[in-house]
Amino acid sequence: MWSALLRTTVLSAVLIPIAYAQISPPDFPPLPVPITSGYTQTDLDQLWQSVEQNGIPVVKANITRVLEPLANFSVGPEPPRFRPAYLQANTSGLRLPEGFLYGVSTAATQVEGAVKEGGRGPSSWDWICHNVPSTCSGETPDVTVNEYYQYKQDIQRVKAMGVNTFSFSIAWPRILPFGSKGSPVSEKGLKFYDDFIDELVKNGIEPVATLFHWDTPINLMSQGGFLNRSIVEDFNNYASIVFQRYGKKVKTWITFNEPLVYCAIYATFPFDATQKGGVNATLSPFICAPNLIEAHATAVQTYRGLVSQGKIAKGKISIKHDGQKPLPFDPDSESDREVADRVADFYLGLFSQPIHVDGNYPQSIEDSFPPSVLRRFTDEEKDIIKGSADFYAIDAYAVTVAKTAPGGLEACISDVNNVYWPVCQDTNPVTQHSRVNGWPIGATADPANTGLSDTTQHMREFLKWLSEKYPSPGGIYITEFGFTEPFEVLLPELYQITWDERRANYLLDYLNEALLAINEDKIDLRGMFIWTPFDNFEWRSATQQKYGLQHVNFSAPGLDRTYKISFFQVRDFFREHLLK
Ligand code: NOJ
């Protein structure tokens, strides 16, 4: 029934590029028995035993002490210029607005490693990658780039780009090993982020902290995760601890990263099998969505309360949306134009409309799901939800193309058994990345990343649409954008890898379009964050897909980092256009 939505959602998501395979219960071991009281060290050990029950132990990095910044650090020789100057001529006099945030973005699971250190509890990703290795291309987040120990040198390396901000996420199970409200709080976990934030601040880099970037504590996953409404309270407890600890130094907060993609995992990861009462893979994303929205809004209420009580500094808070407004496959087809609106509703509107507009889901979604499936908010809840974001944040990598599902729009919308229902978009990846005239929408990213093309020429249009559809007094922030260089994983030599021309072109074209959007279209765009400063653990693709501005040698004991050409290109763009 709703599999069409889930399939499209997942396939078009930039971040989890490999299509999910449904993993049936016999293929994976049981989730750990939930721990709801006591919370002893033995309980924690049991959770880790559940992670390792398949005989794949958690490993440590070679470097297990914090490396200090290098005394004689340099970026090395400047690369040759590869972009002809005329390409930048029409933006050369333009400037970014005062206070513009220029930064990079990371997420705890993807960079930290040290998963068992400091009393951290296991997350859903530790559990899946160890127990169902195919889920993570046979790799684990145990070490990844070892940010936990190498962050000082990494901040030093990123500072050389001239960034004024850095977006990172806090791992919930590092703070609360069991996740839940009664869980002990890990002082070592809290201390790690204190040190990390202090290092950023010391280097003149503004920290932007995300509370949740998909790493659900496994102990909560065993209790249904975001399919169980009780997680709202657990999340609020976690958020409150974090706000109080860092709320004097962190002034920009994000509650959730990419809620759409996150909720879609409930349709495809094994966890839905633990659900009771007939909740199945088809229904689960729509049970997740209201719980996540409520968790977001409740945490924002807590944040604002702490600010008004003077307990923490006044800052701003939002949620990082995902999704986009696609182009119609055939611009002359009314039906394709309509389906493009429908995709925007289902992908972006599901979370944006309640939070940024009126507490309701878009009409097309409400018409599709009865309240018994998609919980409607009460008036009281709506009052908390609407306006629960101080700015509009979006991970806007690219747009796609929407084509009407075979059989036509009306027939599809009225038939819940149609495989394309309820979005009614043709889910063929080819029609999502090319147009009626046969041309692609843009240069393809790595072929394993079927959801991403370079569509930078359409981003101005998208930003215009966005600022009209979800106007925000706090402006728009592009909290992630980036590109997987095609075939990078296959390149044998470093000198080949470092010439990442498609990524550099994507980034520069995008940045130039953004300059025009700000200066000519008067879009209130206030910040942009590049995904990502170094190659890291790209979820299901693990280290097989590269988004980094720096190469990481995952076979070297020190996980050596090397700048790619895109790093310098971006640095030079901001040198020219950022107001000093
Ligand atoms: C968005 C996600 O937030 C991030 O975790 C992911 O790695 C990138 N997109 C690239 O896929």
Side-chain angles (χ1 to χ4, degrees):
M1 251 184 359
W2 293 308
S3 55
L5 166 68
L6 306 174
R7 220 176 21 245
T8 4
T9 301
V10 167
L11 281 177
S12 65
V14 168
L15 31 142
I16 304 184
I18 299 170
Y20 288 107
Q22 186 79 39
I23 301 164
S24 58
D27 294 342
F28 66 94
L31 284 170
V33 177
I35 290 153
T36 53
S37 64
Y39 303 109
T40 61
Q41 182 60 45
T42 315
D43 293 333
L44 187 58
D45 293 345
Q46 255 171 34
L47 293 182
W48 279 112
Q49 274 155 24
S50 163
V51 168
E52 295 173 330
Q53 65 189 299
N54 250 358
I56 304 174
V58 170
V59 297
K60 283 188 176 190
N62 282 299
I63 297 168
T64 52
R65 64 179 173 84
V66 175
L67 296 184
E68 290 305 317
L70 296 176
N72 50 358
F73 171 76
S74 114
V75 293
E78 289 292 312
R81 185 172 181 87
F82 75 70
R83 228 166 188 254
Y86 68 82
L87 282 177
Q88 277 140 280
N90 66 343
T91 56
S92 66
L94 301 180
R95 292 285 167 274
L96 292 161
E98 206 183 327
F100 191 86
L101 291 187
Y102 152 46
V104 286
S105 187
T106 64
T109 301
Q110 297 182 263
V111 298
E112 279 179 10
V115 295
K116 255 188 173 177
E117 266 119 293
R120 181 182 174 282
S123 77
S124 49
W125 283 92
D126 299 318
W127 194 90
I128 292 180
C129 298
H130 279 263
N131 281 311
V132 192
S134 61
T135 313
C136 306
S137 304
E139 300 180 39
T140 73
D142 292 359
V143 174
T144 176
V145 299
N146 200 25
E147 194 63 1
Y148 190 76
Y149 291 114
Q150 299 184 218
Y151 69 93
K152 289 192 181 177
Q153 292 190 355
D154 277 332
I155 290 172
Q156 182 175 42
R157 293 183 67 81
V158 166
K159 188 182 178 186
M161 266 176 89
V163 296
N164 56 29
T165 184
F166 191 117
S167 165
F168 65 100
S169 81
I170 296 171
W172 186 349
R174 208 179 269 296
I175 307 298
L176 293 152
F178 298 90
S180 42
K181 198 166 171 194
S183 166
V185 179
S186 164
E187 177 52 35
K188 282 188 183 157
L190 286 168
K191 171 86 173 45
F192 166 68
Y193 295 108
D194 257 329
D195 294 346
F196 183 83
I197 294 166
D198 289 348
E199 191 67 18
L200 288 174
V201 173
K202 199 165 94 188
N203 282 285
I205 300 173
E206 183 182 331
V208 173
T210 296
L211 295 176
F212 182 79
H213 199 123
W214 305 347
D215 37 11
T216 321
I218 198 66
N219 190 45
L220 293 181
M221 213 62 178
S222 293
Q223 298 170 59
F226 277 89
L227 302 187
N228 182 344
R229 196 173 171 186
S230 67
I231 203 164
V232 173
E233 209 186 325
D234 293 323
F235 184 74
N236 192 38
N237 171 63
Y238 157 61
S240 171
I241 292 167
V242 168
F243 292 146
Q244 293 186 62
R245 179 73 173 220
Y246 312 117
K248 293 213 168 98
K249 348 189 225 202
V250 174
K251 312 281 168 45
T252 306
W253 292 93
I254 300 287
T255 53
F256 285 89
N257 177 71
E258 300 200 352
L260 178 77
V261 170
Y262 179 71
C263 281
I265 73 161
Y266 284 99
T268 49
F269 272 24
F271 301 119
D272 63 274
T274 65
Q275 297 308 303
K276 299 186 184 72
V279 174
N280 62 24
T282 310
L283 301 179
S284 46
F286 301 97
I287 294 167
C288 170
N291 292 340
L292 191 150
I293 292 170
E294 199 183 351
H296 154 81
T298 311
V300 171
Q301 199 184 29
T302 298
Y303 175 75
R304 290 177 177 164
L306 289 167
V307 171
S308 64
Q309 288 160 35
K311 291 197 176 150
I312 59 175
K314 185 166 166 34
K316 49 188 190 296
I317 188 160
S318 190
I319 177 170
K320 268 168 87 186
H321 294 287
D322 48 327
Q324 35 92 27
K325 164 80 196 289
L327 305 176
F329 179 73
D330 177 355
D332 295 329
S333 153
E334 203 184 316
S335 165
D336 285 354
R337 289 200 303 268
E338 216 179 298
V339 92
D341 285 337
R342 228 174 138 76
V343 170
D345 278 355
F346 276 83
Y347 287 17
L348 207 50
L350 176 63
F351 295 94
S352 291
Q353 185 167 325
I355 293 171
H356 292 273
V357 184
D358 58 7
N360 296 311
Y361 306 107
Q363 197 57 49
S364 55
I365 299 183
E366 296 213 342
D367 290 348
S368 306
F369 302 99
S372 57
V373 173
L374 181 68
R375 175 161 64 90
R376 306 297 198 266
F377 299 115
T378 63
D379 286 345
E380 216 173 288
E381 287 160 3
K382 282 184 197 170
D383 284 344
I384 301 175
I385 292 165
K386 62 180 178 213
S388 59
D390 296 326
F391 55 95
Y392 194 91
I394 181 153
D395 293 358
Y397 283 73
V399 294
T400 57
V401 174
K403 180 173 191 269
T404 310
L409 196 53
E410 288 320 309
C412 173
I413 290 177
S414 58
D415 176 10
V416 295
N417 295 313
N418 187 310
V419 291
Y420 298 99
W421 189 88
V423 183
C424 297
Q425 173 189 21
D426 183 344
T427 49
N428 180 341
V430 177
T431 59
Q432 289 185 309
H433 293 273
S434 58
R435 303 197 80 184
V436 67
N437 56 19
W439 287 99
I441 191 173
T444 189
D446 190 286
N449 192 354
T450 53
L452 182 61
S453 300
D454 174 347
T455 62
T456 44
Q457 72 278 29
H458 296 294
M459 298 321 279
R460 249 175 106 173
E461 203 181 317
F462 175 57
L463 285 171
K464 247 194 249 170
W465 177 86
L466 200 61
S467 56
E468 281 160 21
K469 182 91 179 168
Y470 303 115
S472 173
I476 300 176
Y477 291 79
I478 295 177
T479 34
E480 284 184 30
F481 68 114
F483 204 68
T484 43
E485 185 75 14
F487 307 110
E488 189 171 317
V489 71
L490 300 178
L491 298 174
E493 301 293 341
L494 203 49
Y495 83 93
Q496 298 166 316
I497 293 167
T498 53
W499 192 266
D500 57 336
E501 186 157 347
R502 265 205 192 168
R503 177 180 298 111
N505 284 343
Y506 163 93
L507 293 170
L508 283 195
D509 289 346
Y510 202 138
L511 290 167
N512 278 300
E513 289 295 312
L515 256 185
L516 294 171
I518 293 167
N519 284 281
E520 290 183 4
D521 307 336
K522 307 297 173 209
I523 302 295
D524 188 8
L525 179 62
R526 301 194 192 174
M528 293 178 81
F529 296 75
I530 296 155
W531 186 271
T532 188
F534 25 70
D535 297 336
N536 58 42
F537 184 81
E538 179 55 29
W539 308 112
R540 299 203 62 175
S541 303
T543 59
Q544 304 306 303
Q545 271 197 51
K546 317 287 186 184
Y547 273 97
L549 300 173
Q550 297 176 69
H551 169 74
V552 175
N553 183 348
F554 289 100
S555 333
L559 299 163
D560 306 345
R561 283 77 156 135
T562 307
Y563 292 123
K564 301 176 192 173
I565 199 160
S566 55
F567 174 96
F568 295 94
Q569 299 281 316
V570 171
R571 179 201 65 182
D572 292 351
F573 174 91
F574 281 97
R575 273 187 184 166
E576 183 181 350
H577 298 287
L578 206 59
L579 272 183
K580 297 291 165 322

